[in-house]
Amino acid sequence: MQIVETTNEGLKRAYTVTIPAADIAGRVEGEVKKIAPQIKMPGFRPGKVPANLVRKMHGAQLHQEALQTSIRAAMDKLVADHKLRPAMQPAVALGEGYDEGKDAELTVELEVLPEIAAPSTDGLKLEKLTVPVTDEQIDEAVLRIAAGQKSFTEAKKGTKAKDGDQLIIDFLGKLDGVAFEGGTAEDQALEIGAGRFIPGFEEQLVGAKAGDEKTITVTFPEDYPAANLAGKETTFDITVKAVKNPGEFEANDEFAKMLGLESLEQLRTLLKGQLEQETAGLTRTQMKRALLDQLAAGHDFAVPPSMVEAEFEQIWAQLEQEAQREENPEEALKEIESEKDDYRKIAERRVRLGLLLSEIGQANGVAVSAQEMEMLIRQAAQQYREQDRQRFVDYVRSEPLAAAQLRAPLYEDKVVDFLFDKAEVTEREVTRDELQAAIEAEEGAAAEAAPAKKAAPKKKAAKEEAPVAAEEAAADEAPKKKAPAKKKAAAEDEAPAVEEAPKKKSPAKKKTEG
């Protein structure tokens, strides 16, 4: 086999590889001898079919398999002999006009990983911003839980409804005088001031009494999910059947027992732990960004364009999806298009940091254990249907690239933890708002080329600042962020077309916050 280097420019390499026809033919002969004893053919005893007949029957298939095996072997030899570290899968092309009996001439193009001087982990200095959990914050969390457990008692006859009261109503919605689908309900509970109905609906019922009948006019939001109602002025005929006052709430052991706990103290302890865990996550984000900023400032080396392009495409696809969910998708797409170069620079920074973390990890023996990898695979498999989980597990175990993608985020975190332990860390107590401001300031510093007057690149693409290829620089990092949920849902569960779903908080988050 002959290997000739044709390009060696920066991180780009190109080669011509010639595989002798005799090598390929030898592999074919080896396969013929291997399978001949298993071939059955009329007129011949089992295992006695002549080799020339085996070649006639299966020659084309055997040759194709032998060619592919030869190419893989040639690529392995090329990488080993030239001590290459491919950044991405090499591009391999078989020369035109190739046919059986001829030498196979390959052209191979690839990018290699840069040689990175062993980065020093000495001299790192980090400030850890911590947010203490106060009794007042715990009290607020208890009250938020209480709000979800609120009880109401019927008010005295003639009582006028005020903010915080609950009404039991029947309503009939009309668009241009005609009742519309989903605009009718009976015995609907409505808490004034809760903001669960479309803007202007609850406010017009302040002062209503049991037995009142009234018609109100409201305009549906422009982004309302039902297209026939979005931005339209409608009327609602309302009958007030009851006015109820909220019950008095007392934070005590009885309230905690209603929630399935032993005491109020246990509830407060649980809430404190949740709040501490939440702020600890923000603190880690702040420290990680400060760490990455220090690493980025101290290292500048060329990175493989193919890796940058792959990372950029991942960022760009996410941005386009987010833009499509905006109220004005075309305007949002124009905005990100004007900042395309900024996002490409962010992608380059991510790749550089990923390679740097990989080098630090390998130099210091950081690794993901077999047990940790098994746990990762099992956890990832849970997102699939039960009947498909084992197939996913088998796929990851058989595909090195899929395994590397799954392993990368954990490997990155382990390298970051290693650097945290090496760094000189000072602690400072701050408020939650101050911590959030520090994170946003670091976002701005990370998006180095982003225009100062525009926040979009900082908030969208650089928010996580998660380097790609954090292990062995072999794979793009799987996206960490989930696509945000829609701002508004149809809310068909209680009062279709009238009651709005929460705009920002998901049910899970509400539960955590109480």
Side-chain angles (χ1 to χ4, degrees):
M1 180 166 50
Q2 183 181 16
I3 299 175
V4 178
E5 185 178 70
T6 57
T7 300
N8 188 332
E9 298 174 357
L11 300 178
K12 292 184 179 181
R13 302 288 185 273
Y15 302 87
T16 58
V17 179
T18 303
I19 305 173
D23 289 358
I24 301 171
R27 291 182 186 275
V28 173
E29 287 303 313
E31 285 301 308
V32 168
K33 291 179 181 179
K34 184 178 177 181
I35 69 171
Q38 306 166 26
I39 299 295
K40 294 181 181 180
M41 184 179 292
F44 296 95
R45 287 182 297 165
K48 299 298 182 179
V49 179
N52 65 323
L53 289 180
V54 174
R55 276 192 294 273
K56 186 174 182 180
M57 291 173 60
H58 302 285
Q61 179 183 346
L62 291 175
H63 175 263
Q64 189 60 35
E65 291 175 356
L67 176 62
Q68 293 302 321
T69 301
S70 297
I71 291 174
R72 286 195 294 271
M75 292 304 301
D76 291 342
K77 180 174 176 56
L78 169 64
V79 170
D81 288 357
H82 288 74
K83 296 181 173 56
L84 300 176
R85 295 197 303 159
M88 304 284 280
Q89 190 72 20
V92 182
L94 180 62
E96 293 183 8
Y98 172 75
D99 202 354
E100 186 175 354
K102 293 183 177 181
D103 292 347
E105 294 187 355
L106 310 176
T107 57
V108 181
E109 296 179 352
L110 72 156
E111 291 173 357
V112 296
L113 296 174
E115 293 295 330
I116 305 172
S120 172
T121 57
D122 298 328
L124 291 172
K125 294 184 179 181
L126 298 172
E127 184 177 44
K128 182 178 182 180
L129 304 183
T130 61
V131 180
V133 175
T134 64
D135 288 340
E136 289 76 12
Q137 289 173 312
I138 299 173
D139 291 340
E140 289 174 4
V142 172
L143 289 174
R144 285 196 294 271
I145 293 177
Q149 305 289 326
K150 193 181 295 184
S151 61
F152 295 88
T153 57
E154 193 152 349
K156 293 179 181 179
K157 188 176 181 180
T159 298
K160 294 183 178 182
K162 60 184 183 301
D163 197 49
D165 286 343
Q166 184 187 73
L167 302 182
I168 305 300
I169 61 174
D170 294 344
F171 60 76
L172 173 64
K174 297 178 182 178
L175 176 63
D176 298 328
V178 180
F180 57 84
E181 185 179 356
T184 304
E186 294 182 354
D187 296 325
Q188 175 67 47
L190 176 152
E191 183 183 345
I192 297 177
R196 298 186 65 204
F197 284 65
I198 59 175
F201 196 103
E202 297 170 12
E203 293 85 342
Q204 296 184 62
L205 295 178
V206 173
K209 305 185 300 296
D212 283 357
E213 294 183 358
K214 62 187 302 183
T215 298
I216 65 173
T217 301
V218 293
T219 301
F220 278 83
E222 292 289 343
D223 59 350
Y224 198 75
N228 64 314
L229 296 174
K232 300 294 179 60
E233 184 178 270
T234 58
T235 62
F236 283 88
D237 298 333
I238 296 174
T239 300
V240 181
K241 303 175 91 169
V243 175
K244 297 184 177 183
N245 301 133
E248 292 294 325
F249 163 72
E250 186 176 351
N252 54 26
D253 289 344
E254 290 304 314
F255 172 68
K257 288 176 182 177
M258 285 174 51
L259 302 174
L261 302 174
E262 295 179 358
S263 63
L264 178 62
E265 187 59 34
Q266 185 184 16
L267 172 61
R268 292 179 65 85
T269 300
L270 289 173
L271 290 173
K272 182 179 181 181
Q274 289 179 351
L275 291 169
E276 287 176 339
Q277 186 175 11
E278 184 179 340
T279 55
L282 291 174
T283 294
R284 179 180 173 82
T285 297
Q286 169 263 321
M287 284 185 66
K288 180 177 177 180
R289 288 185 180 160
L291 171 67
L292 295 180
D293 285 345
Q294 286 191 43
L295 293 175
H299 300 83
D300 186 18
F301 49 84
V303 293
S306 58
M307 294 183 72
V308 174
E309 187 61 27
E311 177 67 11
F312 171 75
E313 287 177 0
Q314 181 180 324
I315 293 172
W316 196 250
Q318 180 183 321
L319 289 169
E320 287 184 321
Q321 290 175 3
E322 291 175 352
Q324 291 296 342
R325 288 191 287 267
E326 295 292 336
E327 292 182 15
N328 189 334
E330 290 185 5
E331 189 64 32
L333 285 170
K334 284 182 182 177
E335 182 180 351
I336 64 171
E337 187 70 35
S338 69
E339 298 159 346
K340 205 166 189 174
D341 289 342
D342 299 334
Y343 292 117
R344 199 175 294 280
K345 290 176 181 178
I346 289 169
E348 182 178 331
R349 170 187 160 101
R350 287 185 174 186
V351 171
R352 184 174 290 109
L353 284 168
L355 296 174
L356 192 56
L357 288 180
S358 175
E359 195 72 25
I360 292 171
Q362 291 181 53
N364 292 279
V366 177
V368 174
S369 68
Q371 292 86 348
E372 288 171 330
M373 191 61 200
E374 185 65 22
M375 186 178 296
L376 281 176
I377 295 173
R378 293 296 177 186
Q379 288 174 344
Q382 294 305 309
Q383 65 183 302
Y384 295 93
R385 294 178 301 176
E386 189 171 353
Q387 59 267 35
D388 296 330
R389 289 173 188 168
Q390 189 56 46
R391 217 164 24 149
F392 170 80
V393 170
D394 294 340
Y395 167 73
V396 174
R397 287 175 176 166
S398 63
E399 287 290 336
L401 183 59
Q405 288 177 325
L406 192 60
R407 184 190 299 112
L410 176 59
Y411 184 82
E412 176 192 310
D413 281 341
K414 295 188 77 166
V415 176
V416 167
D417 286 337
F418 167 79
L419 292 172
F420 283 168
D421 289 339
K422 296 284 289 183
E424 179 185 331
V425 179
T426 57
E427 291 193 20
R428 178 164 62 94
E429 286 190 3
V430 295
T431 65
R432 186 187 176 97
D433 287 345
E434 289 172 333
L435 175 57
Q436 195 67 51
I439 292 172
E440 290 173 1
E442 286 163 3
E443 280 180 3
E448 297 162 312
K453 63 180 179 180
K454 293 183 178 180
K458 299 174 186 177
K459 290 183 178 179
K460 291 179 180 176
K463 187 174 182 181
E464 292 296 329
E465 201 58 39
V468 294
E471 182 174 12
E472 299 170 1
D476 297 332
E477 181 187 354
K480 292 185 178 180
K481 296 190 292 184
K482 294 182 179 177
K486 293 179 180 178
K487 289 184 178 179
K488 296 178 181 175
E492 297 176 352
D493 50 342
E494 292 190 47
V498 179
E499 185 176 3
E500 285 198 311
K503 294 181 180 178
K504 292 183 179 177
K505 296 178 181 177
S506 66
K509 189 171 182 182
K510 272 191 160 183
K511 203 171 283 185
T512 302
E513 293 179 347

